[in-house]
Amino acid sequence: AAPAPLLALALALRTLNCFLVQTSFVPDEYWQSLEVAHRMNILNYGYLTWEWTSSLRGYSYPLVFASMYKALQLLGKDNVQLLIWVPRLAQAVLAAFADVKLYSVVQHLENSETAKFVFFCQLCSWFTWYSCTRTLTNTMETILTIFALSYYPIKGSKMGNSCKYLALVALAIVIRPTAVILWMPLVFSHFLQEQRKADLILHNCIPVGLVTIGTSLIIDRVFFGEWVLVQLNFLKFNVLQNLGTFYGSHPWHWYFTQGLPVVLGPHLPFFIHGCALAPRRYRILLLAVIWTVLVYSTLSHKEFRFIYPVLPFCMIFCGYSLKHLKAWKKTAASFLLLSNLVPALYTGLVHQRGTLDVMSHIQQLCNNSQQSQASVFILMPCHSTPFYSHVHCPLKMRFLQCPPNLTGNESYVDEADVFYSNPLGWLNKEFYNDTLLPSHLILFNVLEQEISSFLALRGYEKTATVFHTHVPQGRVGSHISIYRRKTEVNY
């Protein structure tokens, strides 16, 4: 077992990590977890995106947060700040235990010194810092992957336990079905070297599979109101139909030329060096990394977070490299620490923070006696901000919709695209009557000039400007503007 001081260090660091990440990464962080949990549990208000109406997502992961919300509600502590931070702190604690588990894996395979270097690399990683406390399914998949790896029977490991690692893998697949990609070569390799193959299948694989899928089916039956196998729907949509391209497509080599180099960051040379040095028994881990990146490369829609679960595997090679640097150890460790610190703090505290900061302005509308008359329209690329999970009052809120073309209609254009093709015309048509106007509009500053005549004519005044990013792109501006109608009661 890992020494207690290491766990204390990991817990302290991940708690700090949690509070030093105040930026938004991707909408799924809220819309596929906290928003759903809010809807499941609290007064039944919360928005379910098209993935839920199409049964592409399972309720098992949001149920974790819904349970936390329920506990806070029963304790009379369900204020909006606790609803935001408690789930993230829970992720931070799990991430800390995962860091220590990674140390234990290497300690059993090698020795304490190599394990400490791997632990150091894991704690240094800017992308782990940026992602590990977020309420993303990718984060939970990565944490469960580390836990599963600690029981995986790698040659030389004394911690191997088929039942435990298969149960954790099954849980990861229930939460995010793409976990099957990473674990395919590992499970296959285990099967090939297993002496009692029939026992492995009959006493481990089948019982574990039946229990996890059965539990997942029952949870989804309760919340969907019908029997549905969401994991199958998810794979069908993302892999077979490849409808993920609706959210953008990238060239086949993107993960090799951009994805993996960015996620690894300053660790990249150490990873390459570690791959060249590592003994044969680690080849299965390297194969799992390459296989996962190759499979994801065949899908058009690519994101950095999709390959996050391979990062702990890469850290084992980075730590192995660091351990064998001899005279350069201290210099290399200092370089890793300092070079990761800048992107970790910048992406965690500065880049894309406006869409979270603006929620505190919306929250203020809940504290007012005029809440029933207030209404908010978020005129931004859809799902830019969190929703009821970060407001926690039944305020009238609306945002631009952007579900993919599920009907096969060739002339389909989503609401957000229709709006951005002619913002002024869309607003005048949508709000032909003043009684339909929202009391508050929230928009990126790049849109202001184009709709300035609408804002002036309908009596909107700017009440706040919130910084968002130093690198505005397309529809996303550097700042977010909040407008309030002057003719309304002063909120």
Side-chain angles (χ1 to χ4, degrees):
L6 279 188
L7 180 59
L9 172 66
L11 283 166
L13 203 69
R14 290 304 175 208
T15 304
L16 179 68
N17 186 168
C18 177
F19 291 111
L20 289 181
V21 174
Q22 297 175 24
T23 54
S24 60
F25 181 9
V26 285
D28 280 13
E29 186 178 344
Y30 319 105
W31 292 87
Q32 307 302 347
S33 54
L34 302 183
E35 191 62 25
V36 183
H38 197 277
R39 168 85 182 210
M40 287 162 77
N41 184 63
I42 299 174
L43 305 172
N44 206 28
Y45 68 92
Y47 190 93
L48 294 183
T49 59
W50 65 271
E51 287 101 329
W52 296 88
T53 50
S54 303
S55 308
L56 287 186
R57 302 275 184 168
Y59 280 96
S60 303
Y61 184 52
L63 184 60
V64 175
F65 303 118
S67 305
M68 293 175 195
Y69 286 174
K70 194 63 177 174
L72 288 169
Q73 193 182 31
L74 293 171
L75 292 167
K77 301 284 183 191
D78 59 329
N79 68 68
V80 69
Q81 290 306 319
L82 284 177
L83 292 184
I84 292 168
W85 289 103
V86 167
R88 297 196 56 178
L89 278 165
Q91 290 284 175
V93 170
L94 282 173
F97 276 99
D99 294 337
V100 173
K101 273 288 183 196
L102 194 62
Y103 171 91
S104 299
V105 170
V106 184
Q107 187 190 28
H108 281 84
L109 285 170
E110 297 291 329
N111 50 52
S112 294
E113 194 188 356
T114 311
K116 278 177 184 167
F117 281 110
V118 171
F119 185 68
F120 173 78
C121 287
Q122 171 74 354
L123 295 184
C124 272
S125 166
W126 81 271
F127 193 80
T128 300
W129 178 274
Y130 183 59
S131 309
C132 75
T133 63
R134 296 184 184 273
T135 50
L136 279 164
T137 51
N138 311 85
T139 299
M140 190 57 94
E141 180 193 351
T142 306
I143 286 167
L144 289 170
T145 291
I146 297 174
F147 284 133
L149 186 65
S150 71
Y151 298 111
Y152 180 76
I154 303 174
K155 205 174 176 185
S157 171
K158 302 174 192 74
M159 293 171 75
N161 184 315
S162 299
C163 195
K164 283 184 182 176
Y165 102 79
L166 286 167
L168 289 158
V169 169
L171 193 55
I173 293 166
V174 161
I175 287 169
R176 191 164 181 89
T178 47
V180 76
I181 297 167
L182 174 63
W183 282 97
M184 214 181 275
L186 290 155
V187 173
F188 186 62
S189 168
H190 174 208
F191 178 75
L192 288 180
Q193 64 191 15
E194 182 62 52
Q195 303 289 310
R196 296 167 296 181
K197 290 179 171 54
D199 276 4
L200 178 67
I201 292 169
L202 293 171
H203 296 147
N204 291 305
C205 296
I206 292 173
V208 161
L210 288 174
V211 169
T212 44
I213 290 295
T215 308
S216 169
L217 275 170
I218 292 164
I219 291 168
D220 290 332
R221 171 74 180 82
V222 170
F223 292 102
F224 279 117
E226 60 183 359
W227 293 106
V228 57
L229 188 59
V230 292
Q231 291 77 20
L232 189 64
N233 292 348
F234 182 92
L235 288 170
K236 207 188 292 179
F237 178 88
N238 287 295
V239 181
L240 303 177
Q241 295 171 286
N242 205 12
L243 285 169
T245 50
F246 178 80
Y247 294 110
S249 57
H250 300 80
W252 69 268
H253 55 77
W254 187 84
Y255 282 120
F256 291 99
T257 54
Q258 290 178 59
L260 200 57
V262 167
V263 166
L264 277 166
H267 284 79
L268 183 60
F270 299 95
F271 171 64
I272 295 165
H273 180 233
C275 290
L277 281 183
R280 278 187 65 176
R281 67 173 179 273
Y282 287 111
R283 279 186 191 167
I284 185 61
L285 300 182
L286 183 57
L287 176 68
V289 172
I290 295 165
W291 161 261
T292 305
V293 176
L294 279 171
V295 173
Y296 275 122
S297 296
T298 64
L299 302 174
S300 303
H301 180 57
K302 298 173 175 68
E303 291 186 38
F304 293 114
R305 66 189 172 108
F306 292 170
I307 56 166
Y308 177 33
V310 305
L311 199 54
F313 288 44
C314 298
M315 290 304 124
I316 293 174
F317 293 98
C318 296
Y320 204 84
S321 162
L322 216 54
K323 157 79 166 60
H324 290 85
L325 280 179
K326 297 186 174 72
W328 292 93
K329 264 189 203 134
K330 279 189 178 171
T331 311
S334 304
F335 164 76
L336 268 180
L337 186 61
L338 295 171
S339 58
N340 276 282
L341 196 62
V342 175
L345 292 176
Y346 181 76
T347 56
L349 290 169
V350 182
H351 180 59
Q352 295 183 173
R353 68 169 296 143
T355 49
L356 287 185
D357 288 347
V358 81
M359 298 313 288
S360 58
H361 292 266
I362 299 176
Q363 286 160 18
Q364 285 165 21
L365 300 178
C366 296
N367 304 332
N368 202 293
S369 56
Q370 306 298 328
Q371 178 206 314
S372 58
Q373 291 167 36
S375 57
V376 177
F377 195 169
I378 300 164
L379 284 174
M380 298 158 95
C382 65
H383 306 128
S384 288
T385 65
F387 218 47
Y388 287 111
S389 64
H390 281 55
V391 176
H392 193 45
C393 77
L395 193 65
K396 287 191 200 106
M397 293 201 292
R398 182 182 165 190
F399 62 93
L400 296 166
Q401 304 280 336
C402 63
N405 183 9
L406 301 170
T407 57
N409 179 0
E410 286 181 21
S411 58
Y412 174 81
V413 185
D414 68 60
E415 185 181 44
D417 282 344
V418 173
F419 167 77
Y420 279 104
S421 65
N422 179 10
L424 193 59
W426 190 92
L427 287 168
N428 287 324
K429 189 178 171 186
E430 189 74 11
F431 301 109
Y432 58 88
N433 187 322
D434 275 13
T435 58
L436 301 171
L437 287 165
S439 64
H440 291 74
L441 290 175
I442 293 171
L443 49 121
F444 279 118
N445 58 341
V446 287
L447 194 63
E448 280 178 312
Q449 203 171 349
E450 208 167 342
I451 64 165
S452 56
S453 58
F454 172 85
L455 295 169
L457 197 65
R458 303 302 170 100
Y460 282 101
E461 63 175 352
K462 194 191 290 191
T463 57
T465 302
V466 178
F467 170 78
H468 182 61
T469 178
H470 289 120
V471 279
Q473 282 181 310
R475 297 172 180 179
V476 178
S478 61
H479 290 74
I480 295 168
S481 302
I482 301 168
Y483 282 86
R484 182 188 62 200
R485 275 199 84 202
K486 281 183 283 192
T487 51
E488 296 286 325
V489 176
N490 194 335
Y491 299 110

